[in-house]
Amino acid sequence: MGTTSFDEMNGHDGDCRQAYAELQAWLEETPKELLEQRRVEAEALFRRIGITFAVYGAENAEERLIPFDLVPRVLTAGEWKRLFDGLVQRVQAINALIVDLYGDAEILKAGLIPEEMIYANPAFRPEMVGIDIPQAVPVVIAGIDIVRTGPDEFFVLEDNARTPSGVSYMLDNREVSHLLFPDLIARHRIRPVESYADELLAVLESLAPRNARDKPTIAVLTPGSFNSAFYEHSFLADKLGVELVEGRDLFVRDDELFMRTTEGPKRVDVLYRRVDDDFLDPLTFRPDSMLGVPGLFSCYRSGSLTLANAVGTGIADDKAIYSYMPDIVRFYTGEDPILGNVPTWRCREPAALSHVLENLADLVVKEVHGSGGYGMLVGPAASKKERATFAAKLKADPDNFIAQPTLALSTCPTFVDGGIAPRHVDLRPFVLTGADGTRIVPGGLTRVALREGSLVVNSSQGGGTKDTWVLED
Amino acid sequence: MMLASTANDIFWMSRYVERAESLARILGAARRMSAIPQVLGDETNEWESALSAAGQRQAFGEADAPASEKSVFDWLAFNDKNPSSITSCLRQARFNARAVRPALTTETWEAINTAWLELKRFSGSSGRARDYNQFLQWVLDVSLKVNGSAFRNQLRNDRYWFSRIGVYIERADNTARILDVKYHVLLPEHSSVGGSLDYYQWSAILRSVSALTAYHWVYRQSFKPWLIADLLVLKEEMPRSLASCYQNIATYLDELALAYGRQGPAQRAARNTHARLRNARTEDLFQHGLHEFLEEFIAENNKLGMTIAEQYNLV
């Protein structure tokens, strides 16, 4: 597999691509000892800043680091342009889809998606039906996972429309690169990512309820400091200059949301919530939730509060819905999708299921609602026994699975075991949508599978991250 | 305006760092005292005094070991099960700080987080025995960095004021306790006894609040017990004195009141205490008994903490 992958520095044929010329020269002239020294420095830096995450269930893993790979990934202006156009188009379609599904459901009437796939889907929230979503933007922040297989072959692997995480790594990685490699940075013209917080703030403000004051009050809602992504929550509140709140800091009175402050109650207009739907409001969703705020959803329903993202957006990042995305894009935008999907077999369809079962050794099979790289089978990497066990699971509940070919994901030069070697990568750009349209900071989070040959880039499965450079024209 | 829970975390973060610093000073002074030949002394055990000054005598007693350098260091400096040990204080401070990270400057956060990472160096049986002095110095440095970074970079708003109020309430408590443990050697009638032991006792008190040199600069004479009390209770120019702590508490509470456009019981209480300290003469301290005065002060200082919590919804 590794031999057929497209390498973003050396292409298919081993000739250095132009965008990587400076980087390659730098890698050649920089002694490996120095790289190792920088790697140690970077790790100390990340620890000091406190950029850590928690892995559930792992022992002694209260606070772990996601490994940062020193070697940046480089994207050209042309490559970014196409990604940008494709992402804007896709996220606009996702927003239109969600508004439609909780509104007139035109797409179901048109017969493009089977109704039961929506209405029997746990990610569909009946509570949202008929609610006036502020500015028709349910997905304010989207993280779209992109994979690459060739010079011009970019595909969407996954749409994250609930509470995508990782943007703090995009920003911190750039910060660390600036500290560690000012010389290398100076040899490139890199588009900045630092404006992300300003863009996010503008987008959140643009979606404030109509009855909010001139300067709407925004807050970031976190499940608390024990949550695996707590660092990111506090990072974002800090960069936005807004309060970081937990459920206990909030209360509802007369369908308005307030936070408890040193000067008494203060109304909250926009809540960037990093708490899942289920836990937002014990009166509407899970009654045992200690993380949410009783009555919060009624504030949203009454229009006194904007939630970013809205409740029920998970219906768009369901992997079974994913397979319909090209049609969804055509339906709402009237254009052909600029970014394609990875070919996907829906195991709920009998013909697809038998194809998948026959070709299990070549396919990646995923749970429809799974995330984080859990509950999936990577056929070529699995043993015969593992495949047999998985086939049984698959036959028992085919609706719950989709399958995709194992893609020859592109590789990027990566610093491992004291040397430079190619490792597989993906990319998660962060797409922001406000009242005045969609914007994307040029870059994203590149995740890298640090184990040789591995295709699993998830941080919970031993993946690392890279700084991602989008070059100026 | 700030989240009440954030104000609470900031207040306690500052108190814990200050408490860690104070414990380090108490332990440092005790080490110094314990080196004095027993010939000079009665049965006073410096390590028991250190426990008393830290308010830990009873808790330590339950551990059922004689108070010695090792046992007291284990308890007051390194014991993770003792919530009032230096390591527990720093851990707790970091926990509070992490919860309110956005309210801190990067430098303040990194000072606390780095301290927490370095703490591992001193914990575990292997690291701790080596160098008590090095450890105590490190604790003082941590506190210096945390406070210094806030002083240098933090916006002067309610976040800063709550952190300062935490520092000074804790500091006032600590100074009062240190004095109270040794109040008997400060009584005027004691001076006639005045042997070498007293000299060492007096210097130990001054040392544990870093006032040994300051004493000479202020009074330009040999130790007089009532002057030591005067310095640590009434002298506003002495940064760890009760008067100085209350000058600061009153100032920062007034800043809060000004910013919020509202005064309350906390401002009144702090101003009262400050005025009393400012107007008192040395004789007044001894008239009703130094011990009684200090006990009353400690209770009042505690009460102010609760009044603040109530007035600003911290509870």
Side-chain angles (χ1 to χ4, degrees):
Chain A
M1 203 178 354
T3 51
T4 61
S5 291
F6 170 72
D7 186 76
E8 298 193 10
M9 181 159 81
N10 295 318
H12 280 299
D13 50 13
D15 288 340
C16 183
R17 297 169 65 238
Q18 205 227 320
Y20 274 84
E22 286 291 341
L23 180 59
Q24 194 196 39
W26 182 84
L27 284 173
E28 271 167 16
E29 74 199 31
T30 307
K32 297 295 171 281
E33 299 72 43
L34 186 65
L35 288 178
E36 177 57 25
Q37 194 187 323
R38 291 282 183 268
R39 191 191 63 73
V40 172
E41 268 175 58
E43 195 178 313
L45 214 52
F46 276 98
R47 279 207 192 279
R48 204 182 72 203
I49 303 173
I51 312 176
T52 52
F53 78 110
V55 182
Y56 296 116
E59 233 178 282
N60 273 338
E62 195 209 329
E63 287 176 27
R64 257 178 49 188
L65 283 182
I66 296 184
F68 166 70
D69 181 58
L70 301 175
V71 187
R73 177 189 198 174
V74 185
L75 294 169
T76 65
E79 288 163 352
W80 179 252
K81 169 87 173 65
R82 226 185 106 229
L83 280 174
F84 179 90
D85 292 343
L87 289 164
V88 169
Q89 180 196 49
R90 188 163 178 118
V91 169
Q92 284 174 352
I94 288 173
N95 271 312
L97 169 72
I98 292 166
V99 171
D100 186 27
L101 287 177
Y102 294 115
D104 298 333
E106 298 287 351
I107 196 163
L108 302 183
K109 289 174 197 156
L112 241 68
I113 310 175
E115 276 195 23
E116 74 273 14
M117 283 212 52
I118 302 298
Y119 295 134
N121 195 315
F124 182 81
R125 297 285 174 178
E127 298 87 351
M128 281 294 292
V129 172
I131 286 185
D132 183 21
I133 296 171
Q135 311 283 349
V137 182
V139 182
V140 184
I141 304 113
I144 309 293
D145 291 348
I146 303 281
V147 294
R148 183 179 197 179
T149 56
D152 297 310
E153 285 81 46
F154 290 93
F155 301 96
V156 175
L157 184 67
E158 235 176 87
D159 303 289
N160 297 284
R162 298 172 213 218
T163 51
S165 62
V167 76
S168 56
Y169 292 94
M170 171 179 91
L171 295 167
D172 277 331
N173 286 355
R174 178 64 52 85
E175 203 61 36
V176 169
S177 295
H178 271 285
L179 280 172
L180 296 183
F181 314 112
D183 53 329
L184 179 61
I185 294 219
R187 284 154 75 164
H188 294 81
R189 288 172 57 216
I190 307 162
R191 296 185 59 189
V193 289
E194 289 81 352
S195 61
Y196 180 80
D198 293 339
E199 304 279 3
L200 177 58
L201 190 64
V203 157
L204 293 171
E205 281 181 349
S206 78
L207 297 172
R210 272 182 287 275
N211 66 357
R213 269 146 303 177
D214 292 352
K215 190 76 182 163
T217 303
I218 297 169
V220 175
L221 176 66
T222 173
S225 59
F226 296 104
N227 184 268
S228 65
F230 179 76
Y231 169 74
E232 178 154 303
H233 306 160
S234 68
F235 174 94
L236 285 168
D238 191 21
K239 297 286 174 207
L240 291 168
V242 306
E243 298 291 348
L244 177 66
V245 298
E246 294 179 33
R248 65 187 164 103
D249 295 314
L250 301 172
F251 68 94
V252 170
R253 199 169 58 201
D254 301 333
D255 283 350
E256 289 185 64
L257 182 69
F258 293 92
M259 53 186 180
R260 298 176 220 274
T261 80
T262 48
E263 291 183 274
K266 180 156 171 64
R267 192 182 123 154
V268 178
D269 302 305
V270 182
L271 197 58
Y272 176 13
R273 51 96 174 199
R274 298 291 296 258
V275 169
D276 292 341
D277 289 357
D278 268 340
F279 299 99
L280 265 185
D281 179 352
L283 299 183
T284 308
F285 306 106
R286 273 176 65 160
D288 60 338
S289 168
M290 304 295 285
L291 305 175
V293 188
L296 185 141
F297 194 69
S298 69
C299 302
Y300 184 67
R301 199 187 291 125
S302 78
S304 76
L305 172 72
T306 299
L307 288 175
N309 290 345
V311 167
T313 53
I315 191 67
D317 66 18
D318 184 285
K319 292 189 182 71
I321 304 297
Y322 162 90
S323 62
Y324 295 93
M325 206 51 85
D327 292 335
I328 291 169
V329 170
R330 270 181 220 106
F331 184 78
Y332 291 111
T333 66
E335 301 162 4
D336 278 331
I338 300 167
L339 284 170
N341 262 11
V342 175
T344 303
W345 289 274
R346 304 168 191 134
C347 300
R348 64 197 300 277
E349 295 165 6
L353 177 63
S354 59
H355 173 87
V356 170
L357 287 169
E358 273 164 38
N359 297 286
L360 215 46
D362 303 318
L363 298 173
V364 178
V365 191
K366 297 174 179 173
E367 279 189 48
V368 177
H369 311 301
S371 68
Y374 293 104
M376 65 189 266
L377 175 87
V378 181
S383 69
K384 225 174 173 163
K385 197 169 153 234
E386 284 168 324
R387 286 201 296 268
T389 318
F390 206 90
K393 263 169 66 181
L394 193 50
K395 276 185 264 185
D397 186 11
D399 283 16
N400 194 32
F401 294 94
I402 54 134
Q404 294 169 335
T406 40
L407 296 176
L409 293 193
S410 62
T411 55
C412 280
T414 301
F415 186 60
V416 278
D417 306 327
I420 301 292
R423 289 290 183 271
H424 295 292
V425 293
D426 79 352
L427 175 68
R428 176 180 292 180
F430 296 90
V431 185
L432 301 175
T433 307
D436 59 347
T438 299
R439 49 191 107 186
I440 313 170
V441 167
L445 172 66
T446 288
R447 299 185 296 178
V448 53
L450 294 173
R451 274 194 300 271
E452 189 172 2
S454 169
L455 293 166
V456 185
V457 296
N458 302 80
S459 54
S460 48
Q461 313 266 312
T465 70
K466 279 173 171 292
D467 190 8
T468 309
W469 295 359
V470 174
L471 302 184
E472 305 260 9
D473 247 333
Chain B
M1 196 272 314
M2 65 189 295
L3 274 187
S5 59
T6 304
N8 193 52
D9 278 323
I10 287 184
F11 179 77
W12 282 102
M13 178 201 88
S14 305
R15 287 196 71 158
Y16 281 119
V17 172
E18 182 66 23
R19 194 173 294 177
E21 174 183 337
S22 173
L23 285 168
R25 289 186 192 281
I26 290 170
L27 284 168
R31 278 200 98 205
R32 174 108 195 170
M33 271 307 280
S34 68
I36 289 157
Q38 283 295 310
V39 178
L40 284 173
D42 44 15
E43 294 304 302
T44 330
N45 179 333
E46 274 319 306
W47 297 107
E48 277 169 22
S49 298
L51 288 165
S52 299
Q56 286 287 304
R57 198 161 182 167
Q58 209 184 341
F60 178 84
E62 285 153 21
D64 204 29
S68 65
E69 179 177 65
K70 181 167 186 319
S71 68
V72 172
F73 259 85
D74 279 351
W75 182 253
L76 286 185
F78 304 115
N79 196 315
D80 292 338
K81 292 189 190 77
N82 172 11
S84 300
S85 70
I86 291 177
T87 53
S88 294
C89 284
L90 291 178
R91 231 173 240 123
Q92 188 58 41
R94 197 264 184 179
F95 180 81
N96 290 123
R98 184 165 178 265
V100 295
R101 232 201 93 146
L104 306 175
T105 68
T106 309
E107 286 185 18
T108 305
W109 158 252
E110 288 186 5
I112 292 185
N113 193 46
T114 305
W116 177 77
L117 292 166
E118 286 176 356
L119 204 53
K120 292 178 186 128
R121 188 149 61 88
F122 294 105
S123 55
S125 50
S126 56
R128 75 173 56 160
R130 296 221 192 96
D131 196 337
Y132 289 151
N133 280 343
Q134 200 192 349
F135 175 73
L136 298 179
Q137 189 53 51
W138 174 80
V139 177
L140 297 187
D141 286 348
V142 166
S143 179
L144 181 65
K145 270 189 207 153
V146 171
N147 283 306
S149 61
F151 178 73
R152 195 159 68 176
N153 293 329
Q154 185 150 12
L155 284 175
R156 265 35 174 187
N157 57 21
D158 42 6
R159 288 167 174 73
Y160 183 71
W161 300 325
F162 274 110
S163 80
R164 290 309 92 188
I165 293 166
V167 166
Y168 289 109
I169 286 190
E170 182 67 29
R171 187 176 294 176
D173 183 69
N174 291 321
T175 299
R177 279 178 198 285
I178 287 167
L179 276 173
D180 199 28
V181 169
K182 302 249 176 186
Y183 81 95
H184 54 280
V185 300
L186 292 176
L187 298 177
E189 58 266 31
H190 196 85
S191 63
S192 55
V193 186
S196 322
L197 178 66
D198 287 326
Y199 179 86
Y200 284 119
Q201 292 278 15
W202 294 331
S203 62
I205 296 172
L206 290 168
R207 251 178 230 287
S208 44
V209 290
S210 304
L212 193 58
T213 317
Y215 178 92
H216 295 293
W217 279 97
V218 173
Y219 301 105
R220 302 207 172 271
Q221 56 174 299
S222 59
F223 295 143
K224 301 287 183 303
W226 56 90
L227 290 183
I228 292 174
D230 181 66
L231 180 67
L232 299 188
V233 177
L234 301 179
K235 276 274 174 290
E236 262 182 21
E237 61 262 50
M238 172 62 215
R240 307 190 84 83
S241 74
L242 304 187
S244 166
C245 290
Y246 265 78
Q247 183 194 29
N248 281 294
I249 293 170
T251 303
Y252 290 119
L253 277 171
D254 282 347
E255 299 261 26
L256 267 180
L258 197 66
Y260 291 176
R262 193 185 299 173
Q263 305 233 5
Q267 277 79 14
R268 283 192 291 279
R271 234 177 280 138
N272 273 340
T273 308
H274 182 216
R276 266 213 330 278
L277 290 167
R278 199 170 38 191
N279 298 329
R281 291 162 308 159
T282 320
E283 303 89 274
D284 302 338
L285 292 180
F286 293 97
Q287 206 152 43
H288 298 293
L290 182 60
H291 175 58
E292 288 71 18
F293 170 85
L294 291 169
E295 270 197 326
E296 212 174 286
F297 176 86
I298 290 169
E300 250 175 51
N301 188 51
N302 252 330
K303 199 167 150 235
L304 177 62
M306 288 186 273
T307 308
I308 292 170
E310 239 166 77
Q311 187 174 328
Y312 293 105
N313 313 310
L314 307 194
V315 279

